[in-house]
Amino acid sequence: MNLELQMIGTGSAFAKSYFNNNALLRDGEFTLLIDCGVTAPLALHQLGKSFADIDAVLITHIHADHVGGLEELAFKMKFTYKRKIKLYIAETLTQILWDHSLKGGLYQAGEIASLEDLFEVCPLVPGKPYELSEHIRIELIRTEHIPGKNSYSLYVNDHIFYSADMIHHPELLQQLVKERGCSVIFHDCQLEGPGVVHTTLTELMALPEEIRRIIRLMHYGDTKDEFAGRTGEMVFMEQGRTYLL
């Protein structure tokens, strides 16, 4: 069965012309929200969707453009939809997410004192594949982003790589393609400047042609249109568009 990936946003953390780089992964019966940034509620609304359409959410790392919409999601689920949504997250991030991102806004004495009071928390062990639904299988791969902060990219159904924010790691990409059968790479891309915490377009352009052919660019800045025709074999993901996998 074909999966569908709909990019509800394709922008970098500071983009103003695009929503945060978050996506819906669907198998026909099950819908997974990959990251839930500050703009996720509005992005879903503009697509005619809401949190009611989501079966589970997966968080790749703790930055506002990836977790900033979780407060609204949690409150809507608890007080409007009256259900707990599954929260898939690396086991190393569960307490950090609550203590450092959500507790200040969500805590309510005697009622909400932990992630488990709001979500069905499903901790994931990196490097181990998990069946999230009948047709969606996901493995977390730890990738470097900010020094000292854990961040995880996704390997979906044993052939799809979906990067979180990550610095350039050509050896990983080559291993996935040559040894693990990766057929498509959805990769964050910093269009300009040095790649301190993100992979740059210049770095991706230096990859072998066989890898560039299967890369789709996302998490880009507002100057994206200026780079039309300057990305070689790689193509930009488009906000709102649905892709068959």
mmCIF file of all heavy atoms in Angstrom, residues 16-36:
data_model
loop_
_atom_site.group_PDB
_atom_site.id
_atom_site.type_symbol
_atom_site.label_atom_id
_atom_site.label_comp_id
_atom_site.label_asym_id
_atom_site.label_seq_id
_atom_site.Cartn_x
_atom_site.Cartn_y
_atom_site.Cartn_z
ATOM 1 N N LYS A 16 9.338 33.086 7.279
ATOM 2 C CA LYS A 16 8.077 33.792 7.456
ATOM 3 C C LYS A 16 7.103 33.527 6.312
ATOM 4 O O LYS A 16 5.898 33.739 6.449
ATOM 5 C CB LYS A 16 8.338 35.302 7.576
ATOM 6 C CG LYS A 16 9.182 35.675 8.802
ATOM 7 C CD LYS A 16 8.497 35.307 10.097
ATOM 8 C CE LYS A 16 9.326 35.693 11.321
ATOM 9 N NZ LYS A 16 10.483 34.780 11.517
ATOM 10 N N SER A 17 7.629 33.061 5.186
ATOM 11 C CA SER A 17 6.773 32.768 4.039
ATOM 12 C C SER A 17 6.268 31.327 4.054
ATOM 13 O O SER A 17 5.415 30.966 3.246
ATOM 14 C CB SER A 17 7.539 33.009 2.730
ATOM 15 O OG SER A 17 7.948 34.352 2.621
ATOM 16 N N TYR A 18 6.794 30.523 4.960
ATOM 17 C CA TYR A 18 6.437 29.111 5.034
ATOM 18 C C TYR A 18 6.183 28.734 6.493
ATOM 19 O O TYR A 18 6.750 29.316 7.406
ATOM 20 C CB TYR A 18 7.566 28.233 4.472
ATOM 21 C CG TYR A 18 7.990 28.614 3.080
ATOM 22 C CD1 TYR A 18 9.116 29.416 2.879
ATOM 23 C CD2 TYR A 18 7.254 28.217 1.973
ATOM 24 C CE1 TYR A 18 9.501 29.789 1.605
ATOM 25 C CE2 TYR A 18 7.629 28.588 0.695
ATOM 26 C CZ TYR A 18 8.755 29.378 0.508
ATOM 27 O OH TYR A 18 9.133 29.764 -0.752
ATOM 28 N N PHE A 19 5.323 27.739 6.675
ATOM 29 C CA PHE A 19 5.090 27.217 8.012
ATOM 30 C C PHE A 19 6.262 26.342 8.441
ATOM 31 O O PHE A 19 7.101 25.947 7.634
ATOM 32 C CB PHE A 19 3.793 26.402 8.046
ATOM 33 C CG PHE A 19 2.546 27.219 7.851
ATOM 34 C CD1 PHE A 19 1.603 26.866 6.883
ATOM 35 C CD2 PHE A 19 2.288 28.336 8.636
ATOM 36 C CE1 PHE A 19 0.455 27.611 6.700
ATOM 37 C CE2 PHE A 19 1.134 29.088 8.469
ATOM 38 C CZ PHE A 19 0.217 28.719 7.492
ATOM 39 N N ASN A 20 6.299 25.996 9.732
ATOM 40 C CA ASN A 20 7.338 25.109 10.255
ATOM 41 C C ASN A 20 7.337 23.786 9.496
ATOM 42 O O ASN A 20 6.297 23.300 9.048
ATOM 43 C CB ASN A 20 7.103 24.812 11.738
ATOM 44 C CG ASN A 20 7.172 26.030 12.637
ATOM 45 O OD1 ASN A 20 6.523 26.056 13.679
ATOM 46 N ND2 ASN A 20 7.928 27.050 12.260
ATOM 47 N N ASN A 21 8.508 23.191 9.396
ATOM 48 C CA ASN A 21 8.679 21.951 8.636
ATOM 49 C C ASN A 21 8.074 20.760 9.405
ATOM 50 O O ASN A 21 8.755 20.050 10.129
ATOM 51 C CB ASN A 21 10.163 21.689 8.381
ATOM 52 C CG ASN A 21 10.386 20.667 7.287
ATOM 53 O OD1 ASN A 21 10.521 21.017 6.113
ATOM 54 N ND2 ASN A 21 10.416 19.390 7.647
ATOM 55 N N ASN A 22 6.773 20.589 9.253
ATOM 56 C CA ASN A 22 6.018 19.500 9.878
ATOM 57 C C ASN A 22 5.235 18.780 8.787
ATOM 58 O O ASN A 22 4.962 19.359 7.730
ATOM 59 C CB ASN A 22 5.050 20.025 10.938
ATOM 60 C CG ASN A 22 5.697 20.901 12.012
ATOM 61 O OD1 ASN A 22 5.004 21.627 12.699
ATOM 62 N ND2 ASN A 22 7.009 20.863 12.166
ATOM 63 N N ALA A 23 4.880 17.519 9.039
ATOM 64 C CA ALA A 23 4.256 16.738 7.977
ATOM 65 C C ALA A 23 3.238 15.753 8.532
ATOM 66 O O ALA A 23 3.278 15.372 9.709
ATOM 67 C CB ALA A 23 5.321 15.979 7.180
ATOM 68 N N LEU A 24 2.325 15.330 7.666
ATOM 69 C CA LEU A 24 1.388 14.249 7.969
ATOM 70 C C LEU A 24 1.790 13.022 7.166
ATOM 71 O O LEU A 24 1.965 13.103 5.949
ATOM 72 C CB LEU A 24 -0.039 14.643 7.597
ATOM 73 C CG LEU A 24 -0.653 15.833 8.338
ATOM 74 C CD1 LEU A 24 -2.025 16.161 7.750
ATOM 75 C CD2 LEU A 24 -0.767 15.554 9.840
ATOM 76 N N LEU A 25 1.932 11.892 7.840
ATOM 77 C CA LEU A 25 2.221 10.624 7.184
ATOM 78 C C LEU A 25 0.988 9.747 7.343
ATOM 79 O O LEU A 25 0.575 9.448 8.472
ATOM 80 C CB LEU A 25 3.449 9.962 7.814
ATOM 81 C CG LEU A 25 3.913 8.640 7.198
ATOM 82 C CD1 LEU A 25 4.350 8.832 5.751
ATOM 83 C CD2 LEU A 25 5.045 8.037 8.021
ATOM 84 N N ARG A 26 0.387 9.332 6.218
ATOM 85 C CA ARG A 26 -0.884 8.618 6.253
ATOM 86 C C ARG A 26 -0.777 7.280 5.526
ATOM 87 O O ARG A 26 -0.119 7.177 4.486
ATOM 88 C CB ARG A 26 -1.987 9.447 5.591
ATOM 89 C CG ARG A 26 -2.271 10.778 6.266
ATOM 90 C CD ARG A 26 -3.472 11.453 5.648
ATOM 91 N NE ARG A 26 -3.203 11.906 4.301
ATOM 92 C CZ ARG A 26 -2.995 13.170 3.952
ATOM 93 N NH1 ARG A 26 -3.000 14.118 4.864
ATOM 94 N NH2 ARG A 26 -2.775 13.495 2.697
ATOM 95 N N ASP A 27 -1.484 6.280 6.059
ATOM 96 C CA ASP A 27 -1.551 4.988 5.373
ATOM 97 C C ASP A 27 -2.968 4.611 4.968
ATOM 98 O O ASP A 27 -3.242 3.472 4.586
ATOM 99 C CB ASP A 27 -0.933 3.880 6.238
ATOM 100 C CG ASP A 27 -1.767 3.544 7.475
ATOM 101 O OD1 ASP A 27 -2.843 4.147 7.679
ATOM 102 O OD2 ASP A 27 -1.346 2.655 8.241
ATOM 103 N N GLY A 28 -3.884 5.572 5.046
ATOM 104 C CA GLY A 28 -5.274 5.311 4.688
ATOM 105 C C GLY A 28 -6.167 5.149 5.900
ATOM 106 O O GLY A 28 -7.329 5.577 5.905
ATOM 107 N N GLU A 29 -5.631 4.526 6.955
ATOM 108 C CA GLU A 29 -6.387 4.308 8.181
ATOM 109 C C GLU A 29 -5.798 5.065 9.364
ATOM 110 O O GLU A 29 -6.487 5.324 10.348
ATOM 111 C CB GLU A 29 -6.404 2.807 8.519
ATOM 112 C CG GLU A 29 -7.033 1.930 7.455
ATOM 113 C CD GLU A 29 -8.526 2.174 7.298
ATOM 114 O OE1 GLU A 29 -9.165 2.569 8.294
ATOM 115 O OE2 GLU A 29 -9.041 1.994 6.175
ATOM 116 N N PHE A 30 -4.539 5.442 9.261
ATOM 117 C CA PHE A 30 -3.796 6.001 10.384
ATOM 118 C C PHE A 30 -3.052 7.238 9.913
ATOM 119 O O PHE A 30 -2.433 7.227 8.843
ATOM 120 C CB PHE A 30 -2.810 4.943 10.899
ATOM 121 C CG PHE A 30 -1.914 5.382 12.028
ATOM 122 C CD1 PHE A 30 -2.342 5.291 13.347
ATOM 123 C CD2 PHE A 30 -0.632 5.867 11.777
ATOM 124 C CE1 PHE A 30 -1.510 5.672 14.393
ATOM 125 C CE2 PHE A 30 0.207 6.248 12.814
ATOM 126 C CZ PHE A 30 -0.241 6.153 14.123
ATOM 127 N N THR A 31 -3.117 8.307 10.708
ATOM 128 C CA THR A 31 -2.431 9.557 10.374
ATOM 129 C C THR A 31 -1.474 9.943 11.489
ATOM 130 O O THR A 31 -1.881 10.119 12.636
ATOM 131 C CB THR A 31 -3.436 10.694 10.142
ATOM 132 O OG1 THR A 31 -4.300 10.367 9.044
ATOM 133 C CG2 THR A 31 -2.709 11.992 9.828
ATOM 134 N N LEU A 32 -0.197 10.065 11.116
ATOM 135 C CA LEU A 32 0.858 10.452 12.047
ATOM 136 C C LEU A 32 1.306 11.867 11.737
ATOM 137 O O LEU A 32 1.651 12.178 10.601
ATOM 138 C CB LEU A 32 2.046 9.497 11.915
ATOM 139 C CG LEU A 32 3.286 9.833 12.756
ATOM 140 C CD1 LEU A 32 3.022 9.571 14.234
ATOM 141 C CD2 LEU A 32 4.493 9.011 12.280
ATOM 142 N N LEU A 33 1.322 12.727 12.749
ATOM 143 C CA LEU A 33 1.880 14.066 12.616
ATOM 144 C C LEU A 33 3.351 14.006 12.992
ATOM 145 O O LEU A 33 3.695 13.639 14.119
ATOM 146 C CB LEU A 33 1.135 15.046 13.525
ATOM 147 C CG LEU A 33 1.668 16.484 13.588
ATOM 148 C CD1 LEU A 33 1.614 17.155 12.229
ATOM 149 C CD2 LEU A 33 0.895 17.288 14.633
ATOM 150 N N ILE A 34 4.215 14.319 12.036
ATOM 151 C CA ILE A 34 5.655 14.354 12.306
ATOM 152 C C ILE A 34 6.028 15.765 12.712
ATOM 153 O O ILE A 34 6.034 16.687 11.903
ATOM 154 C CB ILE A 34 6.461 13.921 11.074
ATOM 155 C CG1 ILE A 34 6.089 12.500 10.647
ATOM 156 C CG2 ILE A 34 7.963 14.007 11.365
ATOM 157 C CD1 ILE A 34 6.772 12.035 9.369
ATOM 158 N N ASP A 35 6.295 15.936 13.990
ATOM 159 C CA ASP A 35 6.604 17.207 14.629
ATOM 160 C C ASP A 35 5.377 18.115 14.665
ATOM 161 O O ASP A 35 4.492 18.037 13.798
ATOM 162 C CB ASP A 35 7.795 17.892 13.977
ATOM 163 C CG ASP A 35 9.119 17.214 14.334
ATOM 164 O OD1 ASP A 35 9.233 16.727 15.474
ATOM 165 O OD2 ASP A 35 10.028 17.179 13.479
ATOM 166 N N CYS A 36 5.356 18.942 15.677
ATOM 167 C CA CYS A 36 4.200 19.822 15.897
ATOM 168 C C CYS A 36 4.722 21.175 16.348
ATOM 169 O O CYS A 36 4.751 21.490 17.545
ATOM 170 C CB CYS A 36 3.269 19.202 16.943
ATOM 171 S SG CYS A 36 1.734 20.117 17.219
#
